[in-house]
Amino acid sequence: MNIDERKWEIMFSENDLDKRISELGEEIKNDFKGKNLLVIALLKGSFIFCADLVRKIDLNQLRVNFMTTSSYGDSLSPASKVKVQSDITLKDITSYDVLIVDDIADTANTMAFAINHIKAKNPKSLKTCVLLDKPSRRQVDFIPDYCGFSIEDKFVVGYGFDFEDRYRNVPYIFNVTNELR
Ligand code: PRP
Ligand code: MG
């Protein structure tokens, strides 16, 4: 990836991510054994994390659905309004133990919104998983059931995290320390 090295520093390498996501997958597998697991990935941010996570959850009955939410647009400041841009396609989730997966809980407005939205569909149970958590930024109460790493308030890019909708394809997570174009 051709990024000026003065402007970024690696926060989580491919190896760091693989190791921690393997642990999360094992934990989730043990907790959901014998249950009817439906993973709901929040797009776009979680697409890479979720793809790696589900491959570490060794359960045959696992299903995946996607929901696209949006809160930030192209700006760096959080908007408290979260919208559903496209909903899950599974019509009846009452027999499923749902795990909502997102890349990060920042203000947690997105997760709080997604939890309410999915709860209204009456799943059998509902849990949440985020790769990164920024507890210092909360605007609403939220503690994830599964969390990869808790971090300080840094702007993270790569591995699904975007900067102006780019760099999601970088295979590790880096912290922007200067202007990135
Ligand atoms: C980002 C991120 C989380 C959310 C976290 O998504 O992927 O979903 O913001 O912020 P919050 O806790 O303050 O709500 P965004 O809406 O930017 O869209 P994206 O997933 O398409 O990148
Ligand atoms: Mg998102």
Side-chain angles (χ1 to χ4, degrees):
M1 199 56 63
N2 184 21
I3 302 169
D4 186 335
E5 290 193 18
R6 288 166 305 180
K7 297 175 181 170
W8 58 262
E9 59 190 9
I10 293 182
M11 274 183 83
F12 300 106
S13 68
E14 288 182 74
N15 193 41
D16 296 336
L17 292 166
D18 183 66
K19 223 175 125 209
R20 184 68 189 118
I21 293 167
S22 298
E23 291 169 357
L24 281 177
E26 184 68 19
E27 204 183 328
I28 292 167
K29 179 191 84 177
N30 292 332
D31 291 354
F32 283 84
K33 214 171 261 172
K35 294 192 173 178
N36 207 12
L37 174 57
L38 170 65
V39 170
I40 297 179
L42 303 186
L43 300 177
K44 292 186 255 184
S46 76
F47 80 115
I48 288 177
F49 170 48
C50 191
D52 282 345
L53 179 67
V54 293
R55 282 179 287 180
K56 305 287 190 189
I57 304 173
D58 186 15
L59 291 175
N60 290 340
Q61 72 273 31
L62 184 155
R63 294 184 68 163
V64 183
N65 258 221
F66 301 97
M67 183 172 139
T68 305
T69 58
S70 182
S71 66
Y72 283 73
D74 275 343
S75 115
L76 295 183
S77 64
S80 57
K81 266 214 157 163
V82 181
K83 291 182 215 144
V84 177
Q85 297 194 332
S86 65
D87 206 346
I88 58 170
T89 51
L90 203 58
K91 293 278 175 271
D92 182 359
I93 62 166
T94 54
S95 64
Y96 289 93
D97 296 291
V98 170
L99 180 67
I100 299 177
V101 173
D102 205 359
D103 54 353
I104 190 166
D106 188 332
T107 66
N109 286 317
T110 301
M111 263 301 186
F113 177 89
I115 288 167
N116 278 341
H117 182 81
I118 296 300
K119 258 192 185 159
K121 298 175 190 281
N122 293 312
K124 212 165 158 194
S125 66
L126 181 56
K127 289 201 167 174
T128 57
C129 175
V130 293
L131 176 60
L132 303 185
D133 192 15
K134 274 188 193 174
S136 65
R137 296 257 309 157
R138 285 295 191 279
Q139 289 177 1
V140 290
D141 284 341
F142 171 71
I143 297 171
D145 296 297
Y146 303 94
C147 169
F149 303 97
S150 190
I151 63 165
E152 287 169 21
D153 184 16
K154 291 191 170 178
F155 191 76
V156 290
V157 183
Y159 199 75
F161 295 99
D162 71 303
F163 179 77
E164 295 179 346
D165 210 30
R166 295 161 57 208
Y167 304 107
R168 293 190 198 265
N169 56 324
V170 175
Y172 48 83
I173 295 175
F174 63 102
N175 169 223
V176 180
T177 51
N178 208 326
E179 201 178 339
L180 188 71
R181 292 290 164 195

